[in-house]
Amino acid sequence: MNLVLCDLKNLQEVDDQLRQARKILEEGAAKLAEAGTRLKSFETKLEAARGDLQSMQARHRELEGEVADLAAKQKINETRQLNIKSDQEYAALTKEAAFLGGRINELEDETLDLLDRIEKREVEIGDLTLVVTEESTAYGRLAAETERSQQSSRDLLAELTARRAQVVAALPPAQLKQYDEIAKNR
């Protein structure tokens, strides 16, 4: 009977070690998944910031084109003002010149605001690029570390599983069944 108790104690120790090795495997996988999610989050933010920057740069080009068109119209207006023949024509050209000047000022103000936002976005992209690089490096290190740890745990699991099989083989079936029921309820 004393030998059966020793075998049951050994079985319990092996089962505890098996649970611990499985827990290490699960924790490593969870940490790696969390790091991967964090990296993906920063990559998504970086891509969104780059997309936003591209749309702002496209709008900046549109504004520059509009300002250039209005400046050309303003130049034509100035040329036409030199050949005015009536007061009505003068009033219409003056009104058009005021409108063109006001619109150019509005577009230039929008351009300046947009350039400020572009500059801030470029700084943000630089910061995010640095964070993504750091997170990617950390993820790579963690992946390698986790793989080593998990390989060690898998090796230990294989060894413990074989040891458990030996201990189980030495136990009488009635005691093994009772042990399994107690372990299951525990």
Side-chain angles (χ1 to χ4, degrees):
M1 186 65 165
N2 198 15
L3 186 60
V4 172
L5 287 176
C6 284
D7 286 342
L8 286 171
K9 182 179 182 281
N10 288 338
L11 182 58
Q12 183 180 13
E13 288 173 359
V14 169
D15 283 347
D16 288 343
Q17 290 173 348
L18 280 168
R19 276 190 292 279
Q20 186 63 30
R22 287 184 186 114
K23 183 179 176 184
I24 289 170
L25 282 172
E26 291 169 4
E27 288 174 352
K31 283 181 185 178
L32 191 59
E34 181 183 326
T37 301
R38 190 173 52 247
L39 174 60
K40 188 68 175 165
S41 169
F42 283 118
E43 288 173 339
T44 301
K45 287 179 185 178
L46 178 59
E47 288 306 310
R50 285 180 176 157
D52 190 37
L53 176 63
Q54 288 176 346
S55 66
M56 284 192 284
Q57 288 170 333
R59 177 64 181 146
H60 179 253
R61 287 188 295 276
E62 288 174 13
L63 289 173
E64 285 181 334
E66 284 184 52
V67 168
D69 289 346
L70 292 173
K73 286 180 182 178
Q74 197 173 34
K75 194 70 162 166
I76 291 170
N77 187 304
E78 289 172 4
T79 304
R80 285 176 41 204
Q81 282 182 352
L82 297 175
N83 299 322
I84 293 177
K85 300 205 183 340
S86 69
D87 287 339
Q88 290 176 336
E89 195 177 343
Y90 176 76
L93 289 175
T94 303
K95 187 175 180 180
E96 184 179 346
F99 171 78
L100 291 173
R103 184 67 182 137
I104 287 173
N105 286 338
E106 289 173 10
L107 292 176
E108 286 175 344
D109 288 345
E110 186 179 344
T111 300
L112 289 174
D113 179 55
L114 189 59
L115 287 173
D116 185 48
R117 289 182 16 231
I118 286 173
E119 185 178 319
K120 288 178 183 176
R121 186 60 55 152
E122 286 172 341
V123 169
E124 180 184 350
I125 287 172
D127 293 344
L128 280 171
T129 301
L130 182 62
V131 169
V132 166
T133 302
E134 290 170 353
E135 287 291 327
S136 180
T137 302
Y139 179 79
R141 272 186 270 137
L142 181 63
E145 195 177 290
T146 300
E147 180 56 34
R148 283 191 301 274
S149 172
Q150 288 191 335
Q151 185 58 48
S152 173
S153 292
R154 283 190 292 269
D155 293 344
L156 181 60
L157 276 172
E159 177 187 321
L160 290 171
T161 302
R163 206 160 94 201
R164 185 180 197 284
Q166 288 174 345
V167 173
V168 165
L171 283 172
Q175 275 76 25
L176 180 60
K177 182 179 178 187
Q178 187 177 14
Y179 171 83
D180 285 339
E181 287 175 9
I182 292 170
K184 183 179 175 183
N185 293 331
R186 191 178 126 209

